[in-house]
Amino acid sequence: MAREAARAERLGCLFSEPGSSRAMTDENAFWTVLWLNKPARRTLVLATHVALWTGAFVLAIALRLDGAARPQFGPAATYALVALLAFRIAAFAVAGLFRGLWRYAGFPELEKIVVATTLSSVAAILLDAAVSALHVPPSVYLVEWLASIVFTGGARLAMRSVVERRHRRRGGRRTLIIGAGDAGESLVRDVQRMVAGERWMAVGFLDDAPLKQDASIRGVPVLGGADALSIARHIRDFSIQLVVLAMPTAPGQRIRQIVRVCQRLGVEVRTVPALVTRVPGRDWADEVRKINIDDLLRRDAIQLDVANIAELVRRRVVLVTGAGGSIGSELSRQLLQFAPKLLLLLDHDENALFHIERELRETFPQATIEALIADITDNGRIEGIFADYRPSLVLHAAAHKHVAMMESNPCEAVKNNVLGTITLAQSAHTHGAGAFVLISSDKAVRPTSVMGATKRVTEMVIQQFACTSLTRFVAVRFGNVLGSAGSVIPIFKEQIARGGPVTVTHPDVCRYFMTIPEASLLVLEAATLGNTGEILMLDMGKPIKIVELARDLIELSGVRPDRDVEIVYTGLKPGEKLAEELLLETEAYDRTQHPKIVVGRIEPIEPPVLDRALDVLRRAAEAQDERAVRHCLSALIPDANLIMPPDDAGGVLEVEPEVKLRHSRTG
């Protein structure tokens, strides 16, 4: 008992009123100790049920006899009550109804009460029919059945109502919930029973559905529609301190509109997560979070062909290169949901590899995972990995991707992006991998940077291998990934945290954007759709101006752009374009069965020409001849517009005329 009292002392704050100077009163201590003592608690719960059932039986007898006393009926009723209680206790125990917490009782528990009460009543009626000494009119059992359901269900409802009413009286931040659907109802339910942490008081709902107008959900009224004027009016009229968006599937444009209304009125706005990202078992109130940039760019949920992806991955060895990076790590998370036989995580960054391996082992303890430190340009190491593990699927996400940095290091860009891809593709071909998927970039189209040019050359490499290999080679192009390492979002956040200025290269620069999960899911889908040699493009919606992205982030941080935080234009960086493209005007495309994936009809370069150019490119990169590298990339990609050195590098002159002639013939 002493140990239980000590635990009660630690938990006493759960029973004390806010602002109390002591952890708990003596009365609270008594109830806390009783609650922590399981045998005592179970006895109290059982005794309460027996009292309720007895009361229901007595009420049924009284109604049956119209209040008149019949002495000969007493012994039979007593025996029948004892038998009924025995059946009822057994049924409720099997259903687990003595273990539930009444304050959390809901419809599932009511269903169990109805079933357990019905079964025990039927058993009592059958026993009554078999034993003449227990003869009680059937109407008594019927009335008792109904009264028992009302009493036991009502007691739970009353307890829950008292607790929730007590919490509501404590007050909290006056909260307006936009969205009166399932998410809104669940949120209010969780808010009303909050015990600890941040307290809210749900004042009302706003929802555009006409049928919900003037309705009430869990005692909270639906005040009106959710248009901008209505939101602003209700915030002012009801002195709202917090707005919560309970619209997990609302498009980004709608969220952007609501956020701007709330920010103009100085009211904090939060959101509930999308259903697919929720943590199972957690309350909605626990998952309410601040609006982030992903919410403002939210698009329709991606529909996956789960069966095809599962067939591609399940019980197979899968290799992910660049597994420690933003895309590689998310691909790994998604892949493990389809139960591969073995997941190989390959990366040259030991710290990134360590963190993703640890995360995946904790999240998927049953999965078989192998972390491999390797440089993709190391032919011996890569060949050994393919010989030892023989992966069936290769997802190649490893690459040098920073445009400005690759402009300063063009030879390293070629070594890693081009020569590394050749090494991996050759090993995949030699050891009979089923599919090889290259993660490419929209910067490969009409490239103005070395990074983009190397990505276009890797697409050429993939197309060439596809001509002769049994391995299915596919490339996937997409644009910028929100929140990835080195992307503009983390940089803007750092600048805002320092008070600015936020630097944007040009007021008209715009980019395609995707979220990391969206890009990864579409890569998996594309891996099942693409025929060998195809270059697939992901539909990323409309391009977004970087300056608008900066303004959104500044506003989400609670400050005002151009007033509290300045936006400064620094000019385009070397190799940077105002706008990216997914296809050239001369490159047609075909639709696939997935609405967000298209196939680009991009004619491959002739193998002899590509082989000679790659040989020159390799020698130039290994010799650290940056001029030769740029000339060779320009020769391979006629629509490229790279920054060229002032003098020619003679090493590429032997291949340049041939490449340009080939492209002029094919248009």
Side-chain angles (χ1 to χ4, degrees):
M1 198 70 177
R3 183 171 57 186
E4 289 160 358
R7 291 175 61 198
E9 183 70 27
R10 293 194 301 271
L11 298 175
C13 58
L14 295 177
F15 295 85
S16 60
E17 293 293 334
S20 174
S21 58
R22 295 191 307 164
M24 59 181 180
T25 64
D26 292 340
E27 180 183 0
N28 283 336
F30 169 77
W31 288 109
T32 304
V33 172
L34 177 63
W35 186 251
L36 293 174
N37 188 314
K38 284 187 178 181
R41 184 172 75 243
R42 295 281 172 82
T43 301
L44 177 62
V45 171
L46 177 60
T48 302
H49 279 87
V50 169
L52 292 172
W53 293 327
T54 301
F57 191 84
V58 170
L59 175 64
I61 292 290
L63 292 175
R64 175 67 175 78
L65 300 180
D66 295 326
R70 296 186 186 179
Q72 72 276 14
F73 196 58
T78 301
Y79 295 143
L81 174 60
V82 171
L84 179 63
L85 290 177
F87 288 128
R88 191 69 49 75
I89 290 171
F92 270 55
V94 171
L97 289 167
F98 295 137
R99 298 193 302 270
L101 298 176
W102 288 16
R103 60 178 294 172
Y104 298 126
F107 189 75
E109 193 160 10
L110 178 60
E111 287 183 323
K112 289 183 179 180
I113 289 174
V114 172
V115 171
T117 303
T118 302
L119 292 177
S120 54
S121 293
V122 169
I125 292 172
L126 293 176
L127 181 64
D128 185 285
V131 180
S132 58
L134 296 180
H135 187 62
V136 173
S139 59
V140 171
Y141 288 109
L142 178 62
V143 173
E144 186 279 336
W145 170 82
L146 180 60
S148 289
I149 292 174
V150 172
F151 287 0
T152 53
R156 287 166 166 79
L157 179 62
M159 173 66 75
R160 175 171 170 172
S161 177
V162 167
V163 171
E164 291 181 357
R165 190 175 297 274
R166 180 183 179 190
H167 293 159
R168 285 197 293 270
R169 284 201 303 268
R170 293 177 181 177
R173 300 178 70 185
R174 297 179 63 80
T175 302
L176 182 67
I177 300 172
I178 300 180
D182 292 340
E185 187 276 334
S186 298
L187 177 62
V188 166
R189 182 184 63 226
D190 296 340
V191 166
Q192 288 177 344
R193 66 189 188 197
M194 276 182 173
V195 178
E198 185 176 15
R199 298 188 186 282
W200 304 333
M201 181 173 66
V203 173
F205 289 97
L206 295 181
D207 198 288
D208 288 332
L211 292 177
K212 297 177 182 177
Q213 304 297 317
D214 300 322
S216 178
I217 299 175
R218 302 189 64 81
V220 179
V222 181
L223 302 172
D227 58 277
L229 292 176
S230 176
I231 293 171
R233 176 167 56 86
H234 286 96
I235 287 175
R236 287 191 292 261
D237 293 349
F238 290 89
S239 302
I240 297 300
Q241 299 168 296
L242 173 68
V243 171
V244 179
L245 307 184
M247 304 184 297
T249 59
Q253 187 60 37
R254 180 73 188 281
I255 296 175
R256 187 188 301 269
Q257 179 189 48
I258 295 172
V259 167
R260 287 183 172 167
V261 170
C262 295
Q263 288 174 337
R264 190 174 66 247
L265 296 174
V267 175
E268 183 182 0
V269 58
R270 299 189 185 183
T271 186
V272 298
L275 292 172
V276 294
T277 64
R278 286 201 64 215
V279 177
R282 288 186 62 183
D283 291 344
W284 280 101
D286 293 335
E287 295 201 3
V288 170
R289 57 168 173 78
K290 292 184 177 180
I291 302 289
N292 59 39
I293 198 68
D294 291 12
D295 298 312
L296 302 186
L297 300 178
R298 185 186 294 166
R299 291 188 282 268
D300 294 338
I302 298 171
Q303 302 298 320
L304 295 179
D305 189 337
V306 176
N308 279 347
I309 296 176
E311 183 179 353
L312 182 70
V313 175
R314 183 171 293 129
R315 307 307 304 163
R316 287 180 167 84
V317 179
V318 181
L319 169 64
V320 178
T321 72
S326 304
I327 294 297
S329 59
E330 183 63 24
L331 279 172
S332 301
R333 296 183 191 99
Q334 301 291 348
L335 284 165
L336 285 178
Q337 299 182 45
F338 297 98
K341 177 182 179 181
L342 171 64
L343 178 61
L344 301 173
L345 308 174
L346 188 149
D347 205 294
H348 198 225
D349 184 339
E350 103 178 87
N351 288 329
L353 192 60
F354 168 79
H355 288 300
I356 186 60
E357 181 195 20
R358 185 178 66 172
E359 175 196 327
L360 295 179
R361 289 192 188 280
E362 291 176 354
T363 309
F364 302 92
Q366 305 302 320
T368 305
I369 301 169
E370 190 74 35
L372 304 169
I373 296 179
D375 183 340
I376 60 173
T377 65
D378 185 342
N379 184 70
R381 173 67 169 147
I382 296 301
E383 180 67 18
I385 289 172
F386 274 83
D388 291 341
Y389 297 101
R390 296 191 174 274
S392 298
L393 171 64
V394 180
L395 300 177
H396 178 30
H400 288 331
K401 65 177 184 177
H402 297 291
V403 171
M405 190 170 291
M406 293 306 102
E407 285 300 301
S408 303
N409 299 273
C411 297
E412 296 307 307
V414 169
K415 288 179 186 177
N416 194 74
N417 294 0
V418 178
L419 304 185
T421 299
I422 293 173
T423 300
L424 286 164
Q426 183 61 56
S427 293
H429 163 68
T430 302
H431 296 280
F436 184 106
V437 181
L438 166 71
I439 309 299
S440 188
S441 167
D442 56 356
K443 293 176 176 59
V445 182
R446 217 190 310 267
T448 59
S449 65
V450 169
M451 194 286 284
T454 59
K455 279 297 187 180
R456 178 66 190 103
V457 174
T458 60
E459 294 177 352
M460 297 177 183
V461 168
I462 291 304
Q463 287 181 304
Q464 177 159 314
F465 271 97
C467 295
T468 57
S469 178
L470 295 178
T471 300
R472 182 165 56 90
F473 284 92
V474 179
V476 182
R477 283 181 188 169
F478 54 84
N480 293 39
V481 178
L482 279 175
S484 61
S487 64
V488 294
I489 301 300
I491 294 173
F492 284 168
K493 287 181 177 178
E494 291 175 7
Q495 293 173 335
I496 294 169
R498 293 197 303 264
V502 171
T503 56
V504 178
T505 56
H506 192 281
D508 295 326
V509 70
C510 58
R511 294 289 182 267
Y512 290 103
F513 281 99
M514 302 183 80
T515 64
I516 294 174
E518 185 180 18
S520 300
L521 289 171
L522 284 175
V523 166
L524 290 181
E525 183 75 21
T528 69
L529 294 177
N531 296 316
T532 191
E534 289 183 339
I535 298 176
L536 306 178
M537 272 67 66
L538 306 186
D539 178 7
M540 293 172 287
K542 296 180 179 179
I544 297 168
K545 280 193 172 185
I546 299 298
V547 67
E548 293 300 321
L549 202 62
R551 291 183 184 278
D552 288 336
L553 276 175
I554 293 171
E555 291 176 350
L556 290 178
S557 301
V559 291
R560 296 166 297 179
D562 301 321
R563 292 187 180 182
D564 303 317
V565 175
E566 185 182 6
I567 296 177
V568 175
Y569 298 106
T570 59
L572 292 174
K573 298 175 183 177
E576 187 177 17
K577 292 195 287 188
L578 275 179
E580 302 289 359
E581 307 163 274
L582 287 175
L583 282 171
L584 295 175
E585 296 85 350
T586 56
E587 296 173 343
Y589 67 87
D590 294 321
R591 286 285 175 186
T592 67
Q593 63 192 47
H594 195 285
K596 290 195 172 187
I597 301 174
V598 298
V599 180
R601 292 205 294 267
I602 303 168
E603 187 176 349
I605 195 170
E606 282 96 344
V609 176
L610 181 60
D611 288 340
R612 290 187 59 195
L614 290 175
D615 181 61
V616 173
L617 189 61
R618 179 195 301 274
R619 287 188 279 113
E622 291 174 348
Q624 296 298 307
D625 189 340
E626 296 184 3
R627 290 192 296 260
V629 163
R630 289 180 181 275
H631 275 286
C632 192
L633 290 173
S634 294
L636 272 167
I637 311 167
D639 49 60
N641 187 22
L642 304 183
I643 299 174
M644 300 302 295
D647 54 330
D648 289 340
V652 299
L653 294 181
E654 59 178 312
V655 70
E656 184 173 353
E658 182 178 346
V659 176
K660 288 188 174 180
L661 178 63
R662 176 263 173 199
H663 281 280
S664 65
R665 285 199 307 267
T666 57

